[in-house]
Amino acid sequence: MPQVRFHSEEPTAVRRTVLDPEQLADWVPSACATVAEHLRLHGIAPAGYPFARYHALPDGEIEAEAGFPVAAPVTDSDQIEPSKLPAGPVLAVWHTDPDQQLAETYHTVDDWLDTTHAAPTGDRWEVYHDLPTCDRVGTRIEIIQPITFATT
């Protein structure tokens, strides 16, 4: 069931890349593992679950970032960059059915936006409540969409 809540700004440590959409499923677990190892080596504890955020580019590619929330911004390294998840109202929708395609859960988000006359205000992100492994991102995924409500 969709839930509206306020999301506080969170500093994050991420890997970024530009890739084709079909490469995303393989890239996200690897990126999260790289960020986790960087944090471990630097004595930084994640402040939340791993996540990935995507931005569709005009040429069909996706600009992606994946990593972890952290308590304070990290400094740039060869592979890890600071970023942040924005503050504001968000719609949260859970994907928990291993037999259901994640795209169906995204349709739930879109349908809710249409029926409530809300509008997205930025890129969505996925929070992986099952730690990603080398071959999958898990089945307990929370989709977060920043939103605003239309005024009449």
Side-chain angles (χ1 to χ4, degrees):
M1 168 162 259
Q3 175 190 40
V4 175
R5 64 179 187 239
F6 185 84
H7 185 269
S8 297
E9 183 176 279
E10 289 181 282
T12 61
V14 300
R15 282 199 71 194
R16 284 197 177 100
T17 194
V18 174
L19 43 73
D20 292 323
E22 61 273 3
Q23 297 173 302
L24 212 45
D26 291 331
W27 181 81
V28 168
S30 172
C32 288
T34 300
V35 173
E37 180 63 8
H38 174 85
L39 295 177
R40 185 187 70 76
L41 290 173
H42 290 85
I44 301 169
Y49 291 101
F51 76 95
R53 182 167 48 175
Y54 322 115
H55 177 74
L57 298 173
D59 62 1
E61 290 185 311
I62 293 177
E63 181 178 30
E65 67 178 35
F68 289 84
V70 291
V74 297
T75 55
D76 279 342
S77 74
D78 288 341
Q79 296 183 14
I80 310 305
E81 300 176 43
S83 188
K84 62 185 171 184
L85 295 173
V90 298
L91 173 67
V93 177
W94 281 91
H95 171 84
T96 57
D97 184 349
D99 296 325
Q100 179 186 39
Q101 297 295 317
L102 191 56
E104 292 177 41
T105 307
Y106 273 97
H107 288 300
T108 300
V109 171
D110 294 336
D111 290 346
W112 188 92
L113 290 170
D114 289 342
T115 60
T116 60
H117 306 291
T121 60
D123 293 325
R124 301 170 179 175
W125 65 90
E126 298 174 357
V127 179
Y128 307 111
H129 291 264
D130 295 328
L131 290 177
T133 63
C134 294
D135 59 347
R136 66 183 189 94
V137 293
T139 57
R140 294 185 325 127
I141 301 169
E142 191 177 16
I143 298 170
I144 308 292
Q145 172 65 67
I147 59 170
T148 188
F149 291 97
T151 57
T152 56

